Amino acid sequence: MNRVGVGLSKEPNPEEAVAEVINYAVKEVNLPQVHWVIIFFTPDHFVHAGRLHELIREHTKCECIAGCSGMGVINSEGEITGVPGLVLMAGYTPGLQLKALAKYQELENSAGVTQQIREELETFVDEKSLFFFFPDVFQHQPNNFINMFNFLKNSPSVYGGGSCNDGRQETTIQFGPSIVTLNGAGGLAMTGMTDFVAGVTQSCTTLGEPMFVTEIKDDLILSLDGKPALEVFTEVAKEFEFNDMEEAAQQLLLSFPLDPEKPVFTGEGSMARHVTGLDVNSQGISTSQIVHKGGVLSFAYRNHKSAEIDIRAMLKRLKNKKNKIPDFGVYFNCASRGEALYGRKNVDTQIIREILGEFPLIGFYGGYEMAQMPQGVQLYTYTGVLVLVYL
C-alpha cells in the first residue's frame, strides 16, 4: 500500500530540523521504506545545505532525493517565510518508477544544464510521466528549458518553480540523489501513478475590456485598438494615481490569454508580464512576452480579493475533475503571493484544506512558475501552480 508523509520544521539547527521532519514524514506515517524524498528549505539553511543532504540520506537510506531552496516553504499546515524553514516529503510507492536529478555546468565547454536534463529525461519519461522541476532563477533562462520540454521525445507533464532566495544574494541550491549544486537545476520524474490533475491560480485582475495589438515594431507595442500604446498606458496609470510613470510600470502588468480566439484572464488561461520599457518617441511600450499583431492583451494589477476568488475557483475545478482526496500534492507558489499579497498568513493552504481536505502537501515560494498546458509548457508569474497526485 502506498504511503506518503510530510514534515515541517522551523529549527535553525540542521540536525534538529532533519530529525523533526523525518519524525513527521517517515516515523509517524510508518513508512516501511523511503523510495523518494522532496525537500525545500529557506535561505537560513544555505550555510549547511551539504549537511542537510547528508543527514537526509543517512536517516532515510534513500538515494532518490530532489529539492531546492526557495524564499519560503509550504506544507499542509501552513507557510513559512522570513525565518528558518525546512519541509520534507517522503514516499513509499513501490509501483512508481522514479528519477531524481540535479545538474550544473561544470566547465565552460561542457554540456549545458538544459542538454544534460534532456539527455536524462529522454531515457526515462513517457507521455504519462510527471516531472517536478526546480531550476535556478539567476543563471538560467526559463524559456530555454521550456523550449526543450516542448520538443522532448515522449514528453512528460512538467510543473515547477524557479528556485530562489530572499534577495540577499543571487545564489540558489538544488538537491540531487548524491549531489548539492549551486545555481543549477533539479527535479523529480515519476511514472506509474494512477492519475494526476493540476491547476493554476492568478494573483492579477484585469482592467477593462481586452484590447487588440494593432501595430508593433521589433519588441515594441506601438498601438492598442488603434490608439498609441503609451497613451493607453498613461490613461490607465492616471486612474490608479501613481506618483510617476516608473511606479506605474512597476505596478501595472500586461495579461496575455493563452487562447487569443477565446480570451480568458483567470486560472490557467492567461500569463502576466511586466511592462519592461516606455518609449516616448514611438509612443510604444515593451514587455518580455513575444507579441504579434492581432494578438489580445489586457492591463492588470495584483489584487488580493480577486486572487482569493480565483484560487477557490481553481480548487473547485480540480475537485470536479477528481472528487477524492489526493495521495499528495506539490504547490509552486510565487514569492509575491502569500502574506505579501493577502496581508495575512496561510491563506492559500487554509483554502486548499477547506476545499480539498487533508492530504500531504509540500511546496515553496519561487521566482516564477511553470505548468503543462495543451499548448505546451507555459511560463507563469504571480501565480500558484498546484499538482495533485493519485497513486
Side-chain angles (χ1 to χ4, degrees):
M1 179 180 178
N2 296 301
R3 296 180 192 173
V4 178
V6 65
L8 180 145
S9 176
K10 298 180 183 179
E11 292 290 340
N13 178 278
E15 281 80 8
E16 294 176 2
V18 170
E20 186 172 11
V21 295
I22 292 295
N23 181 63
Y24 285 119
V26 178
K27 295 179 181 178
E28 289 200 2
V29 184
N30 195 25
L31 298 187
Q33 182 182 349
V34 178
H35 290 130
W36 53 271
V37 167
I38 299 176
I39 176 171
F40 301 129
F41 52 91
T42 63
D44 301 86
H45 283 294
F46 272 33
V47 293
H48 35 67
R51 181 59 176 153
L52 288 176
H53 191 274
E54 180 183 21
L55 288 165
I56 292 165
R57 292 187 67 185
E58 178 184 320
H59 282 281
T60 63
K61 311 296 187 217
C62 178
E63 296 293 327
C64 187
I65 299 172
C68 70
S69 61
M71 199 189 81
V73 297
I74 299 165
N75 84 341
S76 51
E77 299 303 315
E79 307 154 25
I80 296 178
T81 55
V83 296
L86 175 71
V87 62
L88 180 146
M89 178 176 280
Y92 171 74
T93 54
L96 296 188
Q97 293 80 53
L98 304 156
K99 178 180 280 292
L101 55 86
K103 301 295 180 181
Y104 70 103
Q105 188 163 357
E106 187 174 1
L107 300 172
E108 184 178 350
N109 295 323
S110 60
V113 172
T114 305
Q115 180 181 339
Q116 294 180 59
I117 292 172
R118 183 184 68 242
E119 290 173 353
E120 287 273 354
L121 292 180
E122 282 186 341
T123 63
F124 178 80
V125 298
D126 59 32
E127 64 276 5
K128 297 180 181 179
S129 300
L130 260 178
F131 184 50
F132 298 117
F133 187 46
F134 329 121
D136 162 77
V137 303
F138 301 112
Q139 302 296 325
H140 303 288
Q141 292 295 323
N143 285 317
N144 291 338
F145 294 121
I146 287 173
N147 289 336
M148 179 269 291
F149 290 133
N150 286 335
F151 289 96
L152 192 66
K153 297 177 183 176
N154 299 323
S155 298
S157 293
V158 180
Y159 300 91
S163 175
C164 69
N165 59 38
D166 58 7
R168 288 179 287 183
Q169 53 187 332
E170 292 190 352
T171 304
T172 65
I173 296 173
Q174 296 75 39
F175 280 5
S178 59
I179 190 173
V180 176
T181 71
L182 293 177
N183 298 105
L188 176 65
M190 54 176 61
T191 187
M193 70 288 295
T194 300
D195 201 1
F196 63 87
V197 296
V200 180
T201 182
Q202 297 281 341
S203 301
C204 302
T205 187
T206 54
L207 301 163
E209 295 297 317
M211 294 171 285
F212 284 103
V213 178
T214 45
E215 187 178 1
I216 60 171
K217 182 180 180 181
D218 299 326
D219 63 343
L220 286 172
I221 302 170
L222 297 183
S223 69
L224 294 167
D225 282 351
K227 294 177 64 174
L230 185 56
E231 180 182 327
V232 178
F233 176 86
T234 303
E235 290 174 357
V236 175
K238 285 180 179 178
E239 292 182 20
F240 280 81
E241 299 181 347
F242 292 118
N243 294 321
D244 50 46
M245 294 300 282
E246 182 178 349
E247 181 185 2
Q250 291 174 351
Q251 298 296 324
L252 287 177
L253 300 161
L254 296 176
S255 185
F256 296 89
L258 286 184
D259 184 355
E261 299 295 324
K262 298 178 181 178
V264 174
F265 293 93
T266 56
E268 299 83 9
S270 65
M271 302 171 293
R273 299 289 187 263
H274 279 284
V275 174
T276 56
L278 307 173
D279 189 80
V280 176
N281 292 331
S282 66
Q283 289 291 289
I285 62 177
S286 61
T287 181
S288 60
Q289 181 73 10
I290 297 175
V291 182
H292 301 283
K293 184 177 179 180
V296 179
L297 62 78
S298 180
F299 284 97
Y301 68 102
R302 292 193 302 137
N303 180 279
H304 68 93
K305 292 182 179 179
S306 65
E308 188 166 340
I309 292 170
D310 195 75
I311 189 172
R312 288 182 178 277
M314 180 266 283
L315 293 170
K316 289 175 181 176
R317 288 196 300 273
L318 294 183
K319 189 170 184 178
N320 287 336
K321 288 181 181 178
K322 198 79 174 177
N323 191 15
K324 60 181 289 190
I325 302 294
D327 289 285
F328 71 91
V330 183
Y331 190 37
F332 303 101
N333 209 7
C334 179
S336 67
R337 286 175 60 89
E339 189 174 4
L341 173 65
Y342 297 110
R344 61 191 197 278
K345 295 181 179 180
N346 304 328
V347 174
D348 283 2
T349 48
Q350 287 175 358
I351 296 174
I352 290 170
R353 288 201 308 274
E354 173 192 330
I355 295 177
L356 299 181
E358 297 284 349
F359 61 94
L361 176 70
I362 192 171
F364 73 94
Y365 285 99
Y368 56 74
E369 303 75 56
M370 291 181 181
Q372 187 78 44
M373 292 292 124
Q375 300 90 341
V377 182
Q378 303 295 324
L379 176 67
Y380 288 94
T381 56
Y382 300 108
T383 60
V385 173
L386 178 64
V387 185
L388 305 176
V389 181
Y390 303 86
L391 299 171

